[in-house]
Amino acid sequence: MALRKVLGTETEYGVIIRGQPDFNPALASALVINSYPGDRVRVQWSYEEESPGRDARGFGHEGFGVADPESALVNAVLGNGARLYVDHAHPEYSSPECWDPLEGALYDKVGELVMARAANRAQATLPEGRRLRLYKNNSDGKGNSYGAHENYLLSRETPFGQVIRFLTTFLVTRQVFTGAGKVGSENGRPPVPYQITQRADFFEEVVGLETTLKRPIVNTRDEPHGDPGKYRRLHVIIGDANLSEVQTFLKLGVTALFLSAMEDGALPDPIELADPVKACWQVSHDLELRQPLDLAEGGTATALDIQGRYLEWLAKYAERELDEPVWDRVIDEWEKTLELLETDPSRLADTLDWVAKRRLLEAYVARDGLAWDDPKLRQLDLQYHDVDPASGLYHRLVARGRMRRLFTDQEIARAELQPPEKTRAYFRGRCVSQFREALVAANWDSLVFDIGEPHLKRIPMMEPLRGDRARVGPLLDRVADAAELIEALGG
Amino acid sequence: MAEQERARRKTREGREGAEEIEETTVAEADTEAVDELLDEIDAVLEENAEEFVRNYVQKGGQ
């Protein structure tokens, strides 16, 4: 049985201060992060290599060396186990490690709330006439892109060559239901009025390590953030940031299912494209969803044909191997989506960002007689992604009941405060809420405490599924402070 | 795949007849709702679309 697909998302938000043409994006991002009013601790973020823990529950501790002191200025860990920081010139929210795609979609959505609250408070510090805006999208429309990455836990035993052979075609063809929609094209790709994804134009290689230039369809970054002898973390960089809750669920769910089936040997031979990089933008540029893609073995298939085959295989796999209801939900949603994409994509306007946005733009084109290169359409495109509920167009659609949702506002607000319960994010989040004074540094796989002794104390967390509520909840309820916690964990 | 595809198409055809009439009424109501939505959006858009779009430049992303 494949390793559980623990998963999470990391999203760089677009940032601008309107009314201040010379604004500095790195400073604006830092202002956002430091303005977040919620439950959080500013910490140093340690990048150094970890060593395995000694405690039977998966924890250990030891003296701690040097972290990057500068990083504490723009680095916070939240009470829900997420990380909020400045990456390059963008504010970024990395969700906590989640148990399943439904939880993953919830904590991804929490990121928008976190950003909106932070931006709102940052706004109050700005002179009149300046307006700080954040966008959950992936392109400025001028050839600059920023990422919305997904992470999935894989077994170290899975050969990476196998990942590449199976995954490339899957990632290229899933764009039909992962896209957030974009006016125009970029990066030297053929001109189009509108396309399915924000990101496709930027992918130039099939496989590689880069994330900021010559972006590869399959990213080879090998940074497991866990026991390197047991785990890989698959870093998927080709997806769009989605506002639609259903769409994020679908993206994470189908991908996790695909990876499980791949690791279990439940997929027949991989379907390989003759030219994946070309197919990447071809799929995104084809609003009719009829583009034939050349296959390596000869012949052609459309993205929908290929996804239909994956659906057939994975539905059987899920029925045979997986008994949690969430996977039935993934399969049902996927099947319905593929069917409507084939028959009448406009009926997915309440489900997929690219369809919702397209419909909105078409309504403007019809009402105002706009040409597709009118700046107003680019303005609407951008503003669809504005995280401010008052001005974001996605939010306007939600307010009018035009988008399907998976979560209530209350559930999202609760997940801003509480970590997932079945992963190590639980331990991290609880420690932020409970021991904020003592917590001085963090990484995905460790926490470092200052308990007033000569050496700092580090607690490694090399197992993504330990540190969950069942294992550490009672202990955390019992201890009065960080010193007691360290002692209880063995000294 | 072909067989599954045929089965899917068949159910779809069955459904479509019944849905057609309903969809016409829904479409009319929707046109009004969309008009209202567009009016609402007009109110939150900044006036100078060209400047709004031109100023948005994001370097240094992943």
Side-chain angles (χ1 to χ4, degrees), chain A residues 250-296:
Chain A
L250 191 60
K251 174 175 73 181
L252 298 175
V254 173
T255 307
L257 199 55
F258 187 89
L259 293 168
S260 281
M262 182 190 74
E263 286 193 318
D264 277 338
L267 298 174
D269 288 338
I271 303 169
E272 294 184 79
L273 296 166
D275 187 346
V277 171
K278 185 176 173 195
C280 188
W281 60 259
Q282 280 183 316
V283 167
S284 182
H285 287 198
D286 173 30
L287 300 178
E288 301 305 313
L289 304 156
R290 293 288 177 267
Q291 172 72 45
L293 306 173
D294 293 329
L295 300 175

Short mmCIF file of all heavy atoms in Angstrom, two decimals, chain A residues 250-296:
data_model
loop_
_atom_site.label_atom_id
_atom_site.label_comp_id
_atom_site.label_asym_id
_atom_site.label_seq_id
_atom_site.Cartn_x
_atom_site.Cartn_y
_atom_site.Cartn_z
N LEU A 250 -10.04 19.38 -6.15
CA LEU A 250 -9.91 18.51 -7.30
C LEU A 250 -8.45 18.36 -7.70
O LEU A 250 -7.96 17.24 -7.94
CB LEU A 250 -10.72 19.14 -8.45
CG LEU A 250 -10.99 18.33 -9.70
CD1 LEU A 250 -11.78 17.08 -9.39
CD2 LEU A 250 -11.79 19.20 -10.69
N LYS A 251 -7.75 19.46 -7.76
CA LYS A 251 -6.32 19.47 -8.15
C LYS A 251 -5.50 18.60 -7.20
O LYS A 251 -4.74 17.73 -7.64
CB LYS A 251 -5.82 20.92 -8.14
CG LYS A 251 -4.34 21.10 -8.38
CD LYS A 251 -3.98 22.59 -8.47
CE LYS A 251 -4.03 23.28 -7.10
NZ LYS A 251 -3.70 24.71 -7.18
N LEU A 252 -5.66 18.82 -5.90
CA LEU A 252 -4.89 18.07 -4.91
C LEU A 252 -5.33 16.61 -4.87
O LEU A 252 -4.50 15.70 -4.77
CB LEU A 252 -5.07 18.69 -3.52
CG LEU A 252 -4.56 20.13 -3.33
CD1 LEU A 252 -4.92 20.65 -1.94
CD2 LEU A 252 -3.05 20.20 -3.54
N GLY A 253 -6.63 16.40 -4.94
CA GLY A 253 -7.18 15.05 -4.80
C GLY A 253 -6.79 14.14 -5.96
O GLY A 253 -6.32 13.01 -5.75
N VAL A 254 -6.96 14.62 -7.17
CA VAL A 254 -6.66 13.78 -8.34
C VAL A 254 -5.15 13.51 -8.40
O VAL A 254 -4.72 12.40 -8.69
CB VAL A 254 -7.16 14.44 -9.64
CG1 VAL A 254 -6.70 13.67 -10.86
CG2 VAL A 254 -8.69 14.54 -9.62
N THR A 255 -4.34 14.51 -8.07
CA THR A 255 -2.89 14.34 -8.12
C THR A 255 -2.42 13.35 -7.05
O THR A 255 -1.60 12.46 -7.32
CB THR A 255 -2.18 15.70 -7.97
OG1 THR A 255 -2.72 16.60 -8.95
CG2 THR A 255 -0.68 15.57 -8.19
N ALA A 256 -2.96 13.47 -5.84
CA ALA A 256 -2.60 12.54 -4.77
C ALA A 256 -2.99 11.11 -5.14
O ALA A 256 -2.23 10.15 -4.92
CB ALA A 256 -3.28 12.95 -3.46
N LEU A 257 -4.16 10.98 -5.73
CA LEU A 257 -4.65 9.67 -6.14
C LEU A 257 -3.74 9.08 -7.23
O LEU A 257 -3.37 7.89 -7.18
CB LEU A 257 -6.07 9.84 -6.69
CG LEU A 257 -6.99 8.65 -6.79
CD1 LEU A 257 -7.11 7.93 -5.47
CD2 LEU A 257 -8.38 9.12 -7.25
N PHE A 258 -3.37 9.91 -8.18
CA PHE A 258 -2.49 9.47 -9.26
C PHE A 258 -1.16 8.97 -8.69
O PHE A 258 -0.65 7.91 -9.09
CB PHE A 258 -2.25 10.64 -10.23
CG PHE A 258 -1.49 10.27 -11.47
CD1 PHE A 258 -2.16 9.84 -12.60
CD2 PHE A 258 -0.11 10.36 -11.50
CE1 PHE A 258 -1.46 9.48 -13.76
CE2 PHE A 258 0.60 10.01 -12.65
CZ PHE A 258 -0.08 9.57 -13.78
N LEU A 259 -0.61 9.71 -7.74
CA LEU A 259 0.69 9.35 -7.16
C LEU A 259 0.60 8.06 -6.35
O LEU A 259 1.49 7.21 -6.40
CB LEU A 259 1.21 10.49 -6.29
CG LEU A 259 1.56 11.77 -7.06
CD1 LEU A 259 1.78 12.94 -6.11
CD2 LEU A 259 2.80 11.56 -7.94
N SER A 260 -0.50 7.89 -5.61
CA SER A 260 -0.71 6.65 -4.85
C SER A 260 -0.74 5.46 -5.78
O SER A 260 -0.08 4.44 -5.55
CB SER A 260 -2.05 6.68 -4.10
OG SER A 260 -1.93 7.44 -2.94
N ALA A 261 -1.54 5.59 -6.84
CA ALA A 261 -1.69 4.49 -7.79
C ALA A 261 -0.36 4.19 -8.48
O ALA A 261 -0.01 3.03 -8.69
CB ALA A 261 -2.77 4.84 -8.83
N MET A 262 0.39 5.23 -8.77
CA MET A 262 1.70 5.03 -9.40
C MET A 262 2.62 4.25 -8.47
O MET A 262 3.27 3.29 -8.88
CB MET A 262 2.32 6.40 -9.73
CG MET A 262 3.66 6.33 -10.43
SD MET A 262 4.44 7.96 -10.50
CE MET A 262 4.95 8.14 -8.78
N GLU A 263 2.64 4.64 -7.21
CA GLU A 263 3.52 3.94 -6.25
C GLU A 263 3.07 2.51 -6.00
O GLU A 263 3.87 1.64 -5.69
CB GLU A 263 3.59 4.71 -4.93
CG GLU A 263 4.43 5.98 -5.03
CD GLU A 263 4.76 6.58 -3.66
OE1 GLU A 263 3.87 6.62 -2.79
OE2 GLU A 263 5.91 7.02 -3.48
N ASP A 264 1.77 2.26 -6.14
CA ASP A 264 1.25 0.90 -5.95
C ASP A 264 1.33 0.07 -7.22
O ASP A 264 0.83 -1.05 -7.25
CB ASP A 264 -0.21 0.97 -5.46
CG ASP A 264 -0.28 1.19 -3.96
OD1 ASP A 264 0.72 0.88 -3.27
OD2 ASP A 264 -1.32 1.65 -3.47
N GLY A 265 1.91 0.62 -8.26
CA GLY A 265 2.02 -0.12 -9.53
C GLY A 265 0.67 -0.37 -10.18
O GLY A 265 0.50 -1.33 -10.93
N ALA A 266 -0.31 0.50 -9.88
CA ALA A 266 -1.67 0.28 -10.40
C ALA A 266 -1.93 1.00 -11.72
O ALA A 266 -3.04 0.95 -12.23
CB ALA A 266 -2.69 0.71 -9.35
N LEU A 267 -0.93 1.71 -12.23
CA LEU A 267 -1.12 2.35 -13.53
C LEU A 267 -0.47 1.46 -14.60
O LEU A 267 0.64 0.99 -14.41
CB LEU A 267 -0.44 3.72 -13.55
CG LEU A 267 -0.95 4.78 -12.57
CD1 LEU A 267 -0.05 6.01 -12.63
CD2 LEU A 267 -2.38 5.16 -12.89
N PRO A 268 -1.18 1.25 -15.72
CA PRO A 268 -0.53 0.56 -16.84
C PRO A 268 0.64 1.42 -17.34
O PRO A 268 0.97 2.42 -16.73
CB PRO A 268 -1.63 0.48 -17.89
CG PRO A 268 -2.91 0.76 -17.19
CD PRO A 268 -2.56 1.60 -16.01
N ASP A 269 1.25 1.06 -18.42
CA ASP A 269 2.39 1.81 -18.93
C ASP A 269 2.07 3.30 -19.01
O ASP A 269 0.93 3.68 -19.28
CB ASP A 269 2.79 1.32 -20.33
CG ASP A 269 3.45 -0.04 -20.23
OD1 ASP A 269 3.96 -0.38 -19.15
OD2 ASP A 269 3.44 -0.79 -21.23
N PRO A 270 3.08 4.14 -18.78
CA PRO A 270 2.82 5.58 -18.88
C PRO A 270 2.41 6.00 -20.29
O PRO A 270 2.85 5.39 -21.27
CB PRO A 270 4.16 6.21 -18.51
CG PRO A 270 5.18 5.14 -18.62
CD PRO A 270 4.47 3.84 -18.42
N ILE A 271 1.55 7.02 -20.36
CA ILE A 271 1.22 7.61 -21.66
C ILE A 271 2.24 8.74 -21.86
O ILE A 271 2.33 9.63 -21.00
CB ILE A 271 -0.20 8.21 -21.63
CG1 ILE A 271 -1.21 7.13 -21.24
CG2 ILE A 271 -0.55 8.85 -22.97
CD1 ILE A 271 -2.61 7.67 -20.93
N GLU A 272 3.01 8.69 -22.94
CA GLU A 272 4.06 9.71 -23.10
C GLU A 272 3.79 10.60 -24.30
O GLU A 272 3.43 10.13 -25.38
CB GLU A 272 5.43 9.04 -23.18
CG GLU A 272 5.79 8.37 -21.85
CD GLU A 272 7.19 7.77 -21.82
OE1 GLU A 272 8.15 8.54 -21.65
OE2 GLU A 272 7.32 6.54 -21.97
N LEU A 273 3.97 11.90 -24.10
CA LEU A 273 3.77 12.88 -25.16
C LEU A 273 5.05 13.05 -25.97
O LEU A 273 6.16 12.95 -25.43
CB LEU A 273 3.39 14.24 -24.56
CG LEU A 273 2.06 14.29 -23.80
CD1 LEU A 273 1.97 15.56 -22.97
CD2 LEU A 273 0.88 14.19 -24.77
N ALA A 274 4.89 13.33 -27.27
CA ALA A 274 6.07 13.52 -28.13
C ALA A 274 6.81 14.79 -27.73
O ALA A 274 8.04 14.82 -27.71
CB ALA A 274 5.65 13.58 -29.59
N ASP A 275 6.07 15.84 -27.38
CA ASP A 275 6.69 17.12 -27.04
C ASP A 275 5.92 17.77 -25.89
O ASP A 275 5.04 18.61 -26.10
CB ASP A 275 6.68 18.03 -28.28
CG ASP A 275 7.45 19.33 -28.06
OD1 ASP A 275 7.78 19.65 -26.89
OD2 ASP A 275 7.73 20.03 -29.06
N PRO A 276 6.25 17.37 -24.65
CA PRO A 276 5.49 17.84 -23.49
C PRO A 276 5.48 19.36 -23.33
O PRO A 276 4.46 19.93 -22.92
CB PRO A 276 6.20 17.18 -22.30
CG PRO A 276 6.94 16.03 -22.87
CD PRO A 276 7.32 16.42 -24.27
N VAL A 277 6.60 20.03 -23.64
CA VAL A 277 6.65 21.47 -23.44
C VAL A 277 5.68 22.18 -24.38
O VAL A 277 4.93 23.07 -23.99
CB VAL A 277 8.10 21.99 -23.64
CG1 VAL A 277 8.13 23.52 -23.65
CG2 VAL A 277 9.02 21.45 -22.55
N LYS A 278 5.66 21.73 -25.64
CA LYS A 278 4.72 22.31 -26.59
C LYS A 278 3.28 21.98 -26.18
O LYS A 278 2.39 22.84 -26.21
CB LYS A 278 5.02 21.76 -27.99
CG LYS A 278 4.19 22.38 -29.08
CD LYS A 278 4.63 21.84 -30.44
CE LYS A 278 3.70 22.30 -31.55
NZ LYS A 278 3.91 21.52 -32.78
N ALA A 279 3.08 20.74 -25.78
CA ALA A 279 1.73 20.33 -25.38
C ALA A 279 1.23 21.16 -24.20
O ALA A 279 0.03 21.43 -24.08
CB ALA A 279 1.72 18.84 -25.02
N CYS A 280 2.16 21.57 -23.35
CA CYS A 280 1.80 22.34 -22.16
C CYS A 280 1.04 23.61 -22.54
O CYS A 280 -0.07 23.84 -22.06
CB CYS A 280 3.08 22.66 -21.40
SG CYS A 280 2.82 23.40 -19.81
N TRP A 281 1.61 24.42 -23.43
CA TRP A 281 0.88 25.64 -23.80
C TRP A 281 -0.24 25.36 -24.80
O TRP A 281 -1.25 26.06 -24.84
CB TRP A 281 1.82 26.76 -24.26
CG TRP A 281 2.70 26.50 -25.46
CD1 TRP A 281 4.02 26.16 -25.43
CD2 TRP A 281 2.33 26.56 -26.86
NE1 TRP A 281 4.51 26.01 -26.72
CE2 TRP A 281 3.50 26.25 -27.61
CE3 TRP A 281 1.15 26.85 -27.55
CZ2 TRP A 281 3.51 26.21 -29.01
CZ3 TRP A 281 1.16 26.81 -28.94
CH2 TRP A 281 2.32 26.50 -29.66
N GLN A 282 -0.09 24.29 -25.61
CA GLN A 282 -1.18 23.96 -26.54
C GLN A 282 -2.47 23.65 -25.78
O GLN A 282 -3.55 24.09 -26.15
CB GLN A 282 -0.81 22.74 -27.39
CG GLN A 282 0.11 23.05 -28.56
CD GLN A 282 0.38 21.81 -29.40
OE1 GLN A 282 0.64 20.73 -28.86
NE2 GLN A 282 0.32 21.96 -30.72
N VAL A 283 -2.34 22.89 -24.71
CA VAL A 283 -3.53 22.55 -23.91
C VAL A 283 -4.13 23.82 -23.32
O VAL A 283 -5.33 24.05 -23.37
CB VAL A 283 -3.16 21.55 -22.78
CG1 VAL A 283 -4.29 21.44 -21.76
CG2 VAL A 283 -2.82 20.19 -23.36
N SER A 284 -3.26 24.67 -22.79
CA SER A 284 -3.75 25.88 -22.14
C SER A 284 -4.40 26.85 -23.13
O SER A 284 -5.36 27.55 -22.79
CB SER A 284 -2.59 26.58 -21.42
OG SER A 284 -3.05 27.73 -20.74
N HIS A 285 -3.92 26.87 -24.37
CA HIS A 285 -4.43 27.82 -25.36
C HIS A 285 -5.72 27.36 -26.05
O HIS A 285 -6.32 28.11 -26.80
CB HIS A 285 -3.36 28.08 -26.45
CG HIS A 285 -2.21 28.92 -25.97
ND1 HIS A 285 -1.36 29.58 -26.82
CD2 HIS A 285 -1.78 29.23 -24.71
CE1 HIS A 285 -0.43 30.23 -26.12
NE2 HIS A 285 -0.67 30.03 -24.84
N ASP A 286 -6.10 26.11 -25.82
CA ASP A 286 -7.22 25.54 -26.57
C ASP A 286 -8.52 25.55 -25.75
O ASP A 286 -8.81 24.59 -25.03
CB ASP A 286 -6.86 24.10 -26.98
CG ASP A 286 -8.04 23.39 -27.61
OD1 ASP A 286 -8.88 24.06 -28.25
OD2 ASP A 286 -8.13 22.15 -27.45
N LEU A 287 -9.29 26.62 -25.90
CA LEU A 287 -10.52 26.74 -25.11
C LEU A 287 -11.59 25.74 -25.55
O LEU A 287 -12.54 25.48 -24.82
CB LEU A 287 -11.06 28.17 -25.21
CG LEU A 287 -10.13 29.27 -24.70
CD1 LEU A 287 -10.76 30.63 -24.90
CD2 LEU A 287 -9.78 29.05 -23.23
N GLU A 288 -11.44 25.21 -26.75
CA GLU A 288 -12.41 24.21 -27.22
C GLU A 288 -12.10 22.82 -26.67
O GLU A 288 -12.88 21.89 -26.83
CB GLU A 288 -12.42 24.16 -28.76
CG GLU A 288 -12.77 25.48 -29.44
CD GLU A 288 -14.09 26.04 -28.94
OE1 GLU A 288 -15.07 25.25 -28.87
OE2 GLU A 288 -14.15 27.23 -28.58
N LEU A 289 -10.92 22.65 -26.12
CA LEU A 289 -10.50 21.36 -25.54
C LEU A 289 -10.49 20.23 -26.56
O LEU A 289 -10.87 19.09 -26.25
CB LEU A 289 -11.41 21.01 -24.34
CG LEU A 289 -11.46 22.09 -23.26
CD1 LEU A 289 -12.73 22.01 -22.44
CD2 LEU A 289 -10.26 22.01 -22.34
N ARG A 290 -10.10 20.56 -27.78
CA ARG A 290 -10.08 19.55 -28.85
C ARG A 290 -8.70 19.38 -29.46
O ARG A 290 -8.53 18.68 -30.45
CB ARG A 290 -11.06 19.96 -29.97
CG ARG A 290 -12.54 19.92 -29.57
CD ARG A 290 -13.03 18.49 -29.42
NE ARG A 290 -14.42 18.44 -28.98
CZ ARG A 290 -14.79 18.36 -27.69
NH1 ARG A 290 -13.90 18.34 -26.73
NH2 ARG A 290 -16.08 18.31 -27.37
N GLN A 291 -7.69 20.06 -28.93
CA GLN A 291 -6.34 20.04 -29.49
C GLN A 291 -5.75 18.61 -29.47
O GLN A 291 -5.59 18.03 -28.40
CB GLN A 291 -5.44 20.96 -28.66
CG GLN A 291 -3.97 20.90 -29.00
CD GLN A 291 -3.65 21.55 -30.33
OE1 GLN A 291 -4.13 22.63 -30.64
NE2 GLN A 291 -2.86 20.86 -31.15
N PRO A 292 -5.43 18.05 -30.66
CA PRO A 292 -4.76 16.75 -30.65
C PRO A 292 -3.30 16.90 -30.21
O PRO A 292 -2.60 17.79 -30.70
CB PRO A 292 -4.84 16.28 -32.10
CG PRO A 292 -5.42 17.39 -32.89
CD PRO A 292 -5.60 18.59 -32.02
N LEU A 293 -2.87 16.09 -29.27
CA LEU A 293 -1.48 16.13 -28.80
C LEU A 293 -0.75 14.93 -29.37
O LEU A 293 -1.26 13.79 -29.33
CB LEU A 293 -1.44 16.08 -27.28
CG LEU A 293 -2.28 17.14 -26.54
CD1 LEU A 293 -2.30 16.85 -25.03
CD2 LEU A 293 -1.76 18.54 -26.81
N ASP A 294 0.44 15.15 -29.92
CA ASP A 294 1.22 14.04 -30.49
C ASP A 294 1.73 13.14 -29.37
O ASP A 294 2.34 13.61 -28.41
CB ASP A 294 2.40 14.59 -31.31
CG ASP A 294 1.92 15.33 -32.55
OD1 ASP A 294 0.85 14.95 -33.08
OD2 ASP A 294 2.60 16.28 -32.97
N LEU A 295 1.51 11.84 -29.54
CA LEU A 295 2.00 10.88 -28.56
C LEU A 295 3.35 10.32 -29.01
O LEU A 295 3.62 10.21 -30.21
CB LEU A 295 1.00 9.74 -28.40
CG LEU A 295 -0.41 10.15 -27.94
CD1 LEU A 295 -1.35 8.94 -27.93
CD2 LEU A 295 -0.35 10.79 -26.55
N ALA A 296 4.18 9.95 -28.03
CA ALA A 296 5.53 9.45 -28.34
C ALA A 296 5.45 8.17 -29.17
O ALA A 296 6.28 7.93 -30.04
CB ALA A 296 6.30 9.21 -27.05
#
